[in-house]
Amino acid sequence: MRAGIGTMCVLAGVAWAGALGCGGEPATEAPADGTPFHILVTNDDGIESPGIQELAAALRTVGEVTVVAPCGQQSGTSMSIGLNQEIRLRTYPEAEDAGDGGTAGLAGQCVDATPAGAVLFAVRALAPESGFDLVVSGINRGANIGEVSHMSGTIGAAMMGAYLRIPAVAASQGGRPGGFEHAAGVVARFVAELRRRGPETGIVYSLNFPAATAEETAGIAARPMGGSYFGIDYEETEPEPGEDAEGERRFRPVFGPPDAIPAGSDTEAHNEGLVTITPLRFDWTDRPMVDVLEGWDLEALLGADEDGR
């Protein structure tokens, strides 16, 4: 616990921290300029996840929301898509106001596809005439900080937005199960500020929330990707009694503590109880290394003979 989140809330390196706040209240509506702001909402936990429903409800204070998500769990799919897969679209009824700021029932549409596939389909087949102005993926149950982000279906869906030249946001909440109202409110305020400022394309703004209430949250900060909050290993297991396992060995994943966490990273800040914002570029190119490689004798790698063939 810490005293007074209003006095502790800081967004390092970003001048508009005050626009976000740290509480769970709804977003301040974006300035009404008469132009529709179309938001595509998706996730990797599936259409029935409470995280996507809370997120969509909060974002309706900022713009016009279309929900298109996988019909079932698709965690860990990164940016994969099914190139030869027929898309089947299912529609859920509009959610009804539950009277406590939440929603009752399900709202939106789902597809039997990966998160990135859902975004690609929605943009190509379901977008309004003017197109989507923003893709927002989440709220994921589980953090996507540090190097884990490369594996995340939540991040992958947002990256598909970036690939399609649409600004994108990903939101994840770590730790114990709980409500998403606080996170949804912060994301909506962040999106409202992006709308006001004009978000850049080619960037995914990844927001991660600790397992904490608004009162327990230690603050908010912009941080670079770094480290991993868990390690993955495998251990061999025995087949169940009566199973035919001839000629095979079986292994299951084991999740353990990470190696050292880099100072100043998003992983460090997350472990300290802060909300983190990490801008991720779709272009992974290490440009200084391009110059280094140009200094190699690259022609020699082609194995040309003495006649230049």
Side-chain angles (χ1 to χ4, degrees), residues 204-238:
V204 170
Y205 300 90
S206 178
L207 279 68
N208 277 276
F209 296 83
T213 64
E215 292 73 26
E216 294 168 340
T217 301
I220 182 168
R223 291 288 187 270
M225 175 195 289
S228 179
Y229 69 103
F230 64 82
I232 305 174
D233 208 336
Y234 288 89
E235 66 179 11
E236 191 162 4
T237 63
E238 295 295 329

Side-chain angles (χ1 to χ4, degrees), residues 77-302:
T77 53
S78 189
M79 204 181 164
S80 65
I81 60 173
L83 293 176
N84 300 307
Q85 180 180 350
E86 180 182 74
I87 299 293
R88 298 185 181 184
L89 182 69
R90 305 176 197 169
T91 300
Y92 285 90
E94 285 298 315
E96 299 176 356
D97 191 343
D100 58 357
T103 57
L106 299 171
Q109 301 169 97
C110 79
V111 289
D112 291 317
T114 64
V119 171
L120 178 61
F121 170 74
V123 170
R124 295 303 191 212
L126 302 177
E129 186 175 349
S130 60
F132 289 112
D133 298 294
L134 187 72
V135 172
V136 184
S137 179
I139 297 169
N140 187 65
R141 190 182 294 278
N144 284 304
I145 51 174
E147 297 162 1
V148 172
S149 300
H150 289 286
M151 311 172 205
S152 165
T154 302
I155 302 294
M159 281 292 177
M160 178 57 75
Y163 169 72
L164 297 170
R165 304 296 186 267
I166 303 172
V169 174
S172 307
Q173 180 171 299
R176 65 181 184 274
F180 295 93
E181 297 89 347
H182 166 51
V186 175
V187 173
R189 284 191 291 280
F190 181 81
V191 167
E193 188 66 14
L194 279 183
R195 178 183 181 183
R196 187 181 73 82
R197 290 171 172 267
E200 293 185 43
T201 58
I203 293 178
V204 170
Y205 300 90
S206 178
L207 279 68
N208 277 276
F209 296 83
T213 64
E215 292 73 26
E216 294 168 340
T217 301
I220 182 168
R223 291 288 187 270
M225 175 195 289
S228 179
Y229 69 103
F230 64 82
I232 305 174
D233 208 336
Y234 288 89
E235 66 179 11
E236 191 162 4
T237 63
E238 295 295 329
E240 296 293 330
E243 281 189 298
D244 181 9
E246 184 177 356
E248 68 179 27
R249 297 169 65 190
R250 300 187 182 185
F251 298 81
R252 66 183 175 196
V254 177
F255 300 93
D259 297 329
I261 295 173
S265 66
D266 61 341
T267 302
E268 179 189 61
H270 181 80
N271 289 347
E272 292 174 351
L274 277 75
V275 178
T276 61
I277 304 176
T278 303
L280 307 173
R281 285 205 172 272
F282 181 80
D283 182 356
W284 290 1
T285 306
D286 186 329
R287 298 190 184 280
M289 184 54 66
V290 172
D291 295 334
V292 171
L293 290 171
E294 286 291 345
W296 291 19
D297 183 4
L298 296 179
E299 293 297 324
L301 301 181
L302 298 178

